[in-house]
């Protein structure tokens, strides 16, 4: 079985010849993605296994197996959510007041799944960047640092930090466009 080397992660996805190669390359990222969607490891494993079994049945017909697998896991998670949301508790919890605000600030399940999918795709896109660009993205968006603070921490000039961040974000946008995510 072919195993992707770290330097291959930034290249275009390989043309997988067999489902075994595809499984070796995508099982772990798909499990992580499925876990973020459903929140239970065993359920995530079931979703990924079922997706690969469905792909196996039609492997020669699927043009983009990576995209197909992510979409299938997403759809399965959405279907599971719909099934579990139909279960309604019989008794109202005692601490809940009878008259509550009818508007729910939580997003709908399909909106939440779409958000998680988008986050997963952004994380995949981040992996296509070189380490320095990923570090700058982390400093800017995870730690909320200004260009000047990033400059101080990295030793790069402020203008160069802006230049590198601009190109890193452009590369992420291009990668997301390849994955079918439209801004």
């Amino acid at each position: 079985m072919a195993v992707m080397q770290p330097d291959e992660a930034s290249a275009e996805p390989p043309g997988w010849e067999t489902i075994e190669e595809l499984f070796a390359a995508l099982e772990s990222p798909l499990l992580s993605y499925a876990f973020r969607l459903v929140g239970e490891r065993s359920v995530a494993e079931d979703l990924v296994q079922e997706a690969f079994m469905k792909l196996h049945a039609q492997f020669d017909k699927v043009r983009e197996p990576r995209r197909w697998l992510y979409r299938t896991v997403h759809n399965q998670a959405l279907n599971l959510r719909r099934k579990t949301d139909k279960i309604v508790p019989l008794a109202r919890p005692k601490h809940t007041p009878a008259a509550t605000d009818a508007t729910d600030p939580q997003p709908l399940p399909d909106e939440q799944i779409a958000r998680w999918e988008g986050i997963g795709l952004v994380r995949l896109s981040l992996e296509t960047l070189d380490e320095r660009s990923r570090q700058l993205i982390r400093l800017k968006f995870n730690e909320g640092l200004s260009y000047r603070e990033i400059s101080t921490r990295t030793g790069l000039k402020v203008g160069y930090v802006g230049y590198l961040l601009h190109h890193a974000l452009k590369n992420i946008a291009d990668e997301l466009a390849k994955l079918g995510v439209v801004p």
Side-chain angles (χ1 to χ4, degrees), residues 20-169:
E20 290 83 10
E21 292 173 338
L22 189 64
F23 184 80
L26 294 180
E27 178 195 23
S28 182
L30 271 171
L31 278 172
S32 296
Y33 176 65
F35 179 74
R36 286 190 308 274
L37 294 176
V38 296
E40 287 185 50
R41 182 79 177 163
S42 63
V43 175
E45 289 170 351
D46 290 345
L47 292 177
V48 171
Q49 180 180 12
E50 186 176 338
F52 272 105
M53 289 176 67
K54 286 180 178 182
L55 178 63
H56 185 269
Q58 54 187 344
F59 187 67
D60 56 330
K61 297 176 188 169
V62 176
R63 287 190 349 209
E64 297 180 50
R66 179 178 172 273
R67 175 183 267 168
W68 188 94
L69 282 166
Y70 274 91
R71 175 54 58 192
T72 300
V73 167
H74 168 83
N75 290 343
Q76 289 173 313
L78 185 59
N79 289 340
L80 179 67
R81 178 68 63 134
R82 287 181 184 134
K83 285 179 191 174
T84 57
D85 282 349
K86 289 181 182 177
I87 299 171
V88 179
L90 295 176
R92 172 178 280 198
K94 292 180 181 175
H95 65 276
T96 304
T100 60
D101 186 6
T103 60
D104 186 2
Q106 295 295 324
L108 296 173
D110 57 339
E111 293 170 341
Q112 186 64 39
I113 289 173
R115 182 176 179 273
W116 288 332
E117 178 183 14
I119 290 169
L121 292 173
V122 168
R123 287 183 176 157
L124 285 172
S125 299
L126 279 169
E127 294 304 315
T128 65
L129 299 176
D130 60 279
E131 180 55 37
R132 179 175 61 183
S133 295
R134 284 195 303 266
Q135 177 192 20
L136 293 175
I137 294 285
R138 277 191 301 273
L139 293 172
K140 179 66 181 158
F141 296 100
N142 291 359
E143 296 186 29
L145 300 181
S146 67
Y147 286 10
R148 185 168 312 287
E149 292 167 322
I150 294 170
S151 171
T152 302
R153 191 173 294 184
T154 62
L156 299 171
K157 294 186 182 221
V158 175
Y160 194 49
V161 167
Y163 172 83
L164 291 173
L165 277 170
H166 168 78
H167 285 284
L169 293 172

